[in-house]
Amino acid sequence: MSGMASGPEGEKEPESIAVLIRSSLAILWRRKRMIILVVILSWLGTRLALSLATPTYSADALLMIDERQTRVIQIGDVLSDVRPTRTSLLGEVEVLRSRELAKRVMAELELDKNPTFNPVVVSRWAWLSDLLPESGPDGSRTLSAEELRAREEARLLKRFLAKLTVKQITLSPVIRVSFEASDPKLAA
């Protein structure tokens, strides 16, 4: 009985299965160097990718919006089910996403001076931008100091808002506010 003999119900005999396993192990043994090389290269590639990746930290806050008054006059007022409407919650979400609130937060935290948030602060070529005149959109004039500040503020504001997420949790008066940054203190 050599080869792949089958029993009465079409099952492989135990010795043919053993031969199949031995031949598979022999193939793996012959190609062990290639297998080891692939494993080592995969490990090195993963290590390299992880060492180059910048960690991202995220801070979350949950806000519950409740429009009920805190003073109690009648028992009916206490038992009434007054919940914020979807429209009022969406309004609160938009306020939290607003550019004006973002500007106030950036000013209070001095994010324009934070090297993690504003890479220009630590750039070794930042001094060069002070020497070179900036041209306007038509390329013919230089920008005033006020226009340069406005452009820088708009760039930082765009970066801040890209890291900010504000969402209403479905069917609840709760709003989730998240901020992501590569610095854990800045994220918090």
Side-chain angles (χ1 to χ4, degrees):
M1 283 195 180
S2 64
M4 305 268 288
S6 296
E9 289 127 21
E11 295 179 12
K12 296 179 182 174
E13 292 182 13
E15 64 185 45
S16 65
I17 293 175
V19 170
L20 180 63
I21 291 173
R22 268 186 250 135
S23 65
S24 297
L25 289 175
I27 291 170
L28 289 174
W29 186 253
R30 282 193 305 261
R31 299 179 192 238
K32 67 183 174 208
R33 288 188 182 125
M34 180 60 76
I35 293 170
I36 290 171
L37 180 66
V38 167
V39 168
I40 289 173
L41 288 176
S42 298
W43 180 78
L44 287 173
T46 303
R47 288 273 297 175
L48 179 65
L50 289 176
S51 69
L52 294 176
T54 303
T56 301
Y57 300 92
S58 178
D60 293 326
L62 297 176
L63 303 173
M64 183 169 174
I65 308 299
D66 192 5
E67 295 179 348
R68 290 183 281 186
Q69 298 292 326
T70 55
R71 59 188 173 137
V72 178
I73 299 174
Q74 296 178 354
I75 192 71
D77 291 339
V78 175
L79 298 177
S80 69
D81 189 21
V82 178
R83 293 183 177 215
T85 64
R86 178 157 171 77
T87 307
S88 66
L89 286 173
L90 290 175
E92 296 293 335
V93 168
E94 290 306 313
V95 167
L96 291 171
R97 284 186 192 146
S98 73
R99 296 175 75 79
E100 284 304 313
L101 183 59
K103 283 180 188 177
R104 287 180 28 205
V105 169
M106 288 174 48
E108 187 172 319
L109 298 176
E110 297 180 336
L111 293 180
D112 60 331
K113 297 174 184 159
N114 186 318
T116 304
F117 189 75
N118 186 2
V120 174
V121 172
V122 292
S123 172
R124 58 183 157 171
W125 302 105
W127 61 271
L128 188 58
S129 65
D130 294 336
L131 298 176
L132 298 174
E134 291 248 358
S135 60
D138 59 357
S140 62
R141 65 178 181 90
T142 59
L143 297 175
S144 68
E146 184 178 314
E147 290 171 322
L148 287 173
R149 270 194 307 278
R151 181 183 279 185
E152 180 67 15
E153 181 180 285
R155 184 182 66 77
L156 291 174
L157 187 61
K158 183 178 179 182
R159 187 171 178 156
F160 179 84
L161 290 173
K163 295 173 181 280
L164 178 69
T165 306
V166 181
K167 292 183 181 177
Q168 177 191 357
I169 296 178
T170 309
L171 302 176
S172 75
V174 178
I175 296 173
R176 178 183 305 275
V177 181
S178 302
F179 191 79
E180 291 182 354
S182 59
D183 178 18
K185 288 181 182 178
L186 182 59

